[in-house]
Amino acid sequence: MRILVTAGGTKEKIDEVRYIANHSTGRLGSIIADNFAQDDNHHVTYIHGYGAIVPENKAIQLIPIFTSQDLESAIKHELTTHTYDIVIHSMAVSDYTMDNAFSQEELLTHLKEALFNQQATIDEQTFTETLSDVLAKLGKENEDKKISSSNEHLLLRLKKTPKIIKMIKEIQPDTTLVGFKLLVDVTEDYLLSIASQLLAKNDCDYVLANDLTSIEGDQHTGYLVSPDGSLTKAHTKPEIAEMIKQTLTTK
Amino acid sequence: MRILVTAGGTKEKIDEVRYIANHSTGRLGSIIADNFAQDDNHHVTYIHGYGAIVPENKAIQLIPIFTSQDLESAIKHELTTHTYDIVIHSMAVSDYTMDNAFSQEELLTHLKEALFNQQATIDEQTFTETLSDVLAKLGKENEDKKISSSNEHLLLRLKKTPKIIKMIKEIQPDTTLVGFKLLVDVTEDYLLSIASQLLAKNDCDYVLANDLTSIEGDQHTGYLVSPDGSLTKAHTKPEIAEMIKQTLTTK
């Protein structure tokens, strides 16, 4: 079988020197990739964030990416070049990317000018329209430079990134897709209900649900949720890797 | 001589899973530390960001830190515990840390309520006071959780971090302090004038000035600026390390 694993985290550029990142190390993804690759009949490709842990097996093809946009390009390229039987999308993709940045002082100055330049008082409708307009435009002329640090408060305005996971089945409807959901300090019931919703929302065949508070080193509680409501549970990263392989290769 | 080198970058937490980082690798700082430590008469301590490159010399004491606040604690601890002859502060310290986060929709809703709940129109003064007040409070109740990604635009409001470099001579007025200034794609004249201003502003004995566009691998143009106006220039990381050691140990 041909298997695509994504792992680690994307990084979103703030300016020439700064970026937004996440704590995903890629360790679980690398173990999943190695666990498939040890069987001779599996060909594994591993798309990973820069700095993420990579699998040990040298037969695995590595594709490093930086931003969520890089990830989108890499996944589209793989799925339009090869037929993948399985896609395991464990990468922590940034939900947001930079739109524009401005200081609180700039926001105040530009809003006051836009609102009160022509009139002494303004009503709610004028205010609503002006706020959205000013927020969308502020600071866009300074893009790509290092943001000045002379102001007391800086505002970073982020916009949502496209849902890359939803593109996978659009390109290859017949692949078996495993999505991942990480929440922080929620109940098991809540975690599983969110994971079940994701099956339909992101067009996944399975969702691996986990909670950051149940992860420490190789100790890692993971639930594999499937559309028929069945559920399997594992307690370490190697167990999660084996649970995914067994479920996907013996169905 | 006892020498403190800081290197790599700090990371500032956005929420439980995300953080703001910078591209500093610590490579130059690690070479500077190794270059001092190879002489028997120097004792080197190396404070570095997590994931940064560390020196090869095993005699160097390593102190890893995550945030700018961790850095402040570590530097204060070192400077109140030992007398350092030289402090080389090459670490890229985040100028900003998280204050609060909120969606654009939340901002609009809360501002409208604060502004137009009691009156149909408002004047400039009311607006100015209300905006600052709402910006300062929004989203503070959600701190430390993973920020929801259900909104189209997210605003991160950052506040300035304290200038850690200014604390160094306050604790040890007799140490020799080297500050670093990285700019992006500026003229040599501009870079050197900013570096000269920093000597007084940050109470440094020397400033190592460099431009990101003149750095590629070990090729690295650096200017060591001193208060008497004298200037030395180096073209690689090892040359910069040697220039700093020669200047500081033979003065």
Side-chain angles (χ1 to χ4, degrees):
Chain A
M1 291 176 133
R2 193 166 193 126
I3 297 142
L4 180 64
V5 178
T6 71
T10 60
K11 296 180 167 73
E12 300 301 323
K13 181 177 159 180
I14 297 173
D15 62 15
E16 279 302 323
V17 295
R18 291 163 245 206
Y19 58 86
I20 295 175
N22 62 64
H23 289 291
S24 176
T25 60
R27 183 171 284 120
L28 178 57
S30 72
I31 293 171
I32 293 170
D34 269 328
N35 195 47
F36 274 104
Q38 72 182 4
D39 304 342
D40 288 339
N41 55 332
H42 295 147
H43 177 285
V44 180
T45 302
Y46 186 77
I47 301 180
H48 64 93
Y50 271 103
I53 295 167
V54 295
E56 290 173 7
N57 193 313
K58 299 300 173 207
I60 297 173
Q61 183 195 352
L62 303 181
I63 303 175
I65 60 96
F66 198 83
T67 68
S68 57
Q69 206 174 350
D70 297 342
L71 174 66
E72 183 179 337
S73 304
I75 286 188
K76 283 184 171 170
H77 179 263
E78 283 308 306
L79 296 180
T80 50
T81 314
H82 307 287
T83 300
Y84 279 94
D85 302 288
I86 294 172
V87 178
I88 297 169
H89 185 41
S90 76
M91 185 174 250
V93 183
S94 182
D95 295 315
Y96 290 96
T97 187
M98 270 293 288
D99 200 346
N100 49 336
F102 41 86
S103 70
Q104 187 164 322
E105 289 81 350
E106 283 176 284
L107 176 63
L108 182 60
T109 305
H110 282 78
L111 274 175
K112 283 205 292 195
E113 191 175 302
L115 290 168
F116 298 104
N117 194 24
Q118 307 283 343
Q119 56 223 341
T121 62
I122 48 120
D123 62 17
E124 187 168 336
Q125 193 189 338
T126 309
F127 169 74
T128 302
E129 289 162 5
T130 308
L131 180 67
S132 300
D133 195 45
V134 169
L135 284 173
K137 287 181 190 159
L138 253 181
K140 291 236 166 159
E141 69 279 7
N142 305 321
E143 266 172 19
D144 279 355
K145 293 278 178 179
K146 183 175 175 183
I147 296 167
S148 166
S149 56
S150 56
N151 298 290
E152 191 53 36
H153 284 98
L154 183 69
L155 287 130
L156 305 184
R157 182 168 172 270
L158 313 177
K159 62 182 174 195
K160 282 206 80 158
T161 50
K163 269 282 172 199
I164 293 170
I165 192 167
K166 295 179 82 167
M167 302 172 186
I168 295 171
K169 288 255 190 171
E170 284 171 19
I171 305 174
Q172 287 199 14
D174 294 335
T175 198
T176 300
L177 173 61
V178 183
F180 277 63
K181 185 67 188 178
L182 178 71
L183 291 176
V184 180
D185 200 13
V186 297
T187 64
E188 186 180 297
D189 282 354
Y190 182 76
L191 177 64
L192 295 176
S193 77
I194 294 288
S196 297
Q197 290 168 29
L198 274 187
L199 286 166
K201 193 176 156 198
N202 289 341
D203 209 0
C204 296
D205 297 289
Y206 298 91
V207 167
L208 193 288
N210 48 173
D211 187 311
L212 191 64
T213 59
S214 307
I215 303 174
E216 198 178 336
D218 262 357
Q219 293 301 309
H220 191 140
T221 305
Y223 305 86
L224 192 61
V225 183
S226 63
D228 65 9
S230 71
L231 181 74
T232 43
K233 185 175 176 180
H235 302 88
T236 65
K237 288 183 169 64
E239 270 184 39
I240 292 174
E242 187 60 20
M243 169 173 76
I244 290 174
K245 188 168 82 173
Q246 287 304 322
T247 307
L248 270 67
T249 55
T250 60
K251 56 169 190 165
Chain B
M1 290 176 135
R2 193 165 193 127
I3 297 142
L4 180 63
V5 178
T6 71
T10 61
K11 296 180 167 72
E12 301 299 324
K13 182 178 159 181
I14 297 174
D15 62 15
E16 279 302 323
V17 295
R18 291 162 238 197
Y19 59 86
I20 295 175
N22 63 64
H23 289 291
S24 178
T25 60
R27 183 172 284 120
L28 177 58
S30 72
I31 293 171
I32 292 170
D34 270 327
N35 195 48
F36 274 104
Q38 73 182 4
D39 304 342
D40 288 339
N41 55 331
H42 295 145
H43 178 284
V44 181
T45 302
Y46 186 77
I47 301 179
H48 64 93
Y50 271 102
I53 294 168
V54 295
E56 291 174 7
N57 193 314
K58 298 301 173 205
I60 296 172
Q61 184 195 352
L62 304 181
I63 303 175
I65 59 96
F66 198 81
T67 68
S68 56
Q69 208 174 348
D70 297 342
L71 174 65
E72 184 180 335
S73 304
I75 285 189
K76 283 183 172 172
H77 179 265
E78 284 308 306
L79 296 180
T80 51
T81 314
H82 307 289
T83 301
Y84 280 95
D85 302 288
I86 295 171
V87 179
I88 297 169
H89 185 43
S90 76
M91 184 175 252
V93 183
S94 183
D95 296 314
Y96 290 96
T97 187
M98 270 293 287
D99 200 348
N100 49 337
F102 41 87
S103 70
Q104 186 164 323
E105 290 81 350
E106 284 176 284
L107 177 63
L108 181 61
T109 306
H110 281 79
L111 273 176
K112 282 204 292 196
E113 192 176 301
L115 291 167
F116 298 104
N117 194 24
Q118 308 283 342
Q119 55 223 343
T121 62
I122 50 117
D123 61 19
E124 187 168 335
Q125 193 190 337
T126 308
F127 169 73
T128 303
E129 289 162 5
T130 308
L131 179 68
S132 300
D133 195 45
V134 169
L135 284 172
K137 287 179 189 159
L138 254 180
K140 290 235 166 158
E141 69 279 9
N142 304 321
E143 265 172 21
D144 278 356
K145 294 276 179 181
K146 184 174 174 183
I147 296 167
S148 165
S149 57
S150 56
N151 298 290
E152 190 54 35
H153 283 98
L154 182 70
L155 286 129
L156 305 183
R157 182 168 171 270
L158 313 178
K159 62 182 173 195
K160 282 207 80 160
T161 51
K163 269 281 170 197
I164 293 170
I165 192 167
K166 294 179 83 167
M167 301 170 187
I168 294 171
K169 288 256 189 169
E170 284 170 19
I171 304 174
Q172 287 198 15
D174 294 334
T175 198
T176 300
L177 174 60
V178 183
F180 278 63
K181 186 66 189 178
L182 177 72
L183 292 176
V184 180
D185 200 11
V186 297
T187 64
E188 186 181 296
D189 282 352
Y190 182 75
L191 177 64
L192 295 177
S193 76
I194 294 288
S196 297
Q197 290 167 30
L198 274 187
L199 286 167
K201 193 176 158 200
N202 289 341
D203 208 2
C204 296
D205 297 290
Y206 299 91
V207 167
L208 193 287
N210 50 174
D211 186 311
L212 192 63
T213 58
S214 308
I215 303 174
E216 199 178 336
D218 263 357
Q219 293 301 310
H220 191 139
T221 305
Y223 305 87
L224 192 61
V225 182
S226 63
D228 65 10
S230 71
L231 181 75
T232 42
K233 185 175 177 180
H235 302 87
T236 65
K237 288 183 169 64
E239 270 184 38
I240 292 173
E242 187 60 20
M243 169 172 75
I244 290 174
K245 188 168 83 171
Q246 287 304 322
T247 306
L248 270 66
T249 55
T250 59
K251 59 170 185 162

